[in-house]
């Protein structure tokens, strides 16, 4: 991984920045191999994935709206990862699905940033109305765009389902899609609303998340409460994005 990362200057910067954030200057990592050890395999996976997605969607520079959407995707990925044990799904797979769920929106935003900002001014980003507005403006909505990208990149069918159906799916089955839908709601409840700077979170969404997970998995609500609490802690305490 380090050898491949060294061939991509932007990825090298991402890994070094992640390793050195909050670290005293005399302990700075000055090479990718040292930085990779410092961040750990899980964090390194997240950094590489996010960097790759930015390149694949044609990331054209940081805007406030792009930054907000990346933070939302990062929060959904963290929430998905912490809820994974309740669904008995691999946590890395869940993190990836959470990070990819809005890849279609990121692609539209990368291509049409000014138009998308105008669109969000009149359409609620967390409801189905955004899909109709996107369709009218771009002839494609971000769920369709996400599903197309996942197919084009030869990603697993489950990731295509997450990208295409996360706005319409009701989480009543123990699937990866249900998990990401709940994770997205958890992220929003913790203050990471789509396309909106960090906002006032719900006082304590733990009970609501536990109930949603219980309905989706069929497990007793008390048994999944710990995962819901860990989800809230993880998402609320991490305001950065990979």
């Amino acid at each position: 991984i380090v050898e491949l990362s060294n061939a991509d200057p932007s990825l090298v910067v991402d890994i070094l920045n992640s390793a050195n954030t909050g670290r005293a200057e005399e302990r700075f990592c000055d090479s990718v191999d040292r930085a990779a050890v410092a961040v750990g395999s899980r964090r390194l996976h997240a950094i590489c994935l996010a960097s790759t997605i930015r390149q694949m969607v044609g990331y054209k520079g940081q805007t406030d709206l792009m930054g907000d959407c990346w933070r939302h995707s990062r929060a959904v990925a963290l929430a998905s990862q912490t809820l994974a044990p309740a669904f008995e799904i691999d946590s890395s797979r869940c993190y990836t699905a959470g990070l990819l769920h809005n890849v279609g929106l990121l692609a539209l935003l990368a291509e049409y940033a000014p138009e998308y900002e105008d669109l969000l001014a009149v359409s609620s980003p967390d409801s189905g109305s955004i899909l109709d507005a996107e369709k009218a403006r771009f002839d494609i909505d971000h769920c369709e765009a996400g599903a197309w990208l996942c197919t084009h990149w030869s990603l697993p069918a489950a990731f295509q389902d997450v990208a295409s159906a996360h706005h319409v799916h009701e989480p009543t089955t123990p699937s990866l899609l249900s998990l990401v839908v709940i994770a997205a709601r958890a992220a929003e409840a913790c203050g990471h609303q789509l396309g909106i700077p960090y906002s006032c979170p719900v006082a304590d969404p733990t009970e609501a998340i536990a109930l949603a997970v219980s309905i989706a998995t069929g497990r007793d609500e008390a048994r999944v409460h710990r995962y819901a609490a860990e989800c809230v802690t993880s998402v609320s305490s991490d305001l950065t994005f990979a």
Side-chain angles (χ1 to χ4, degrees):
I1 293 174
V2 169
E3 183 178 351
L4 292 171
S5 300
N6 273 322
D8 185 336
S10 65
L11 185 53
V12 168
V13 170
D14 286 343
I15 295 171
L16 290 173
N17 181 64
S18 180
N20 290 325
T21 298
R23 183 183 290 261
E25 186 173 354
E26 62 271 14
R27 299 184 61 216
F28 271 10
C29 297
D30 55 5
S31 65
V32 174
D33 54 349
R34 289 183 59 196
V37 172
V39 300
S41 60
R42 178 174 291 179
R43 178 66 175 159
L44 184 61
H45 166 266
I47 295 167
C48 292
L49 177 64
S51 180
T52 301
I53 292 173
R54 286 201 296 268
Q55 294 180 46
M56 288 192 292
V57 299
Y59 189 79
K60 297 180 179 178
Q62 184 68 39
T63 65
D64 289 342
L65 183 55
M66 178 68 84
D68 295 338
C69 290
W70 268 112
R71 275 183 283 273
H72 172 78
S73 293
R74 160 75 173 169
V76 175
L78 284 173
S80 299
Q81 178 178 277
T82 54
L83 292 176
F87 284 78
E88 298 182 345
I89 304 176
D90 177 74
S91 61
S92 293
R93 179 180 178 86
C94 294
Y95 184 97
T96 302
L99 197 63
L100 286 170
H101 84 286
N102 257 342
V103 68
L105 189 151
L106 291 167
L108 290 178
L109 184 55
E111 189 66 27
Y112 306 109
E115 295 92 334
Y116 210 97
E117 290 181 357
D118 292 342
L119 184 151
L120 283 180
V122 297
S123 301
S124 174
D126 57 356
S127 71
S129 65
I130 192 70
L131 303 180
D132 295 333
E134 289 168 346
K135 194 83 168 179
R137 180 69 67 92
F138 309 118
D139 294 324
I140 189 173
D141 63 52
H142 74 266
C143 291
E144 293 172 333
W148 183 88
L149 286 170
C150 289
T151 301
H152 181 68
W153 296 334
S154 300
L155 297 179
F159 289 177
Q160 299 173 28
D161 291 342
V162 167
S164 66
H166 62 272
H167 267 284
V168 298
H169 178 74
E170 190 60 35
T172 56
T173 56
S175 63
L176 182 64
L177 175 56
S178 291
L179 184 153
V180 173
V181 169
I182 294 172
R185 294 176 183 175
E188 291 165 5
C190 291
H192 296 275
Q193 297 187 38
L194 177 62
I196 302 174
Y198 185 72
S199 56
C200 183
V202 174
D204 185 4
T206 302
E207 298 297 334
I209 297 170
L211 176 60
V213 172
S214 177
I215 292 172
T217 63
R219 303 177 67 177
D220 184 81
E221 188 175 341
R223 294 180 62 192
V224 301
H225 190 276
R226 176 170 62 88
Y227 300 119
E230 290 175 356
C231 173
V232 171
T233 300
S234 176
V235 174
S236 299
S237 62
D238 192 321
L239 305 185
T240 63
F241 59 96

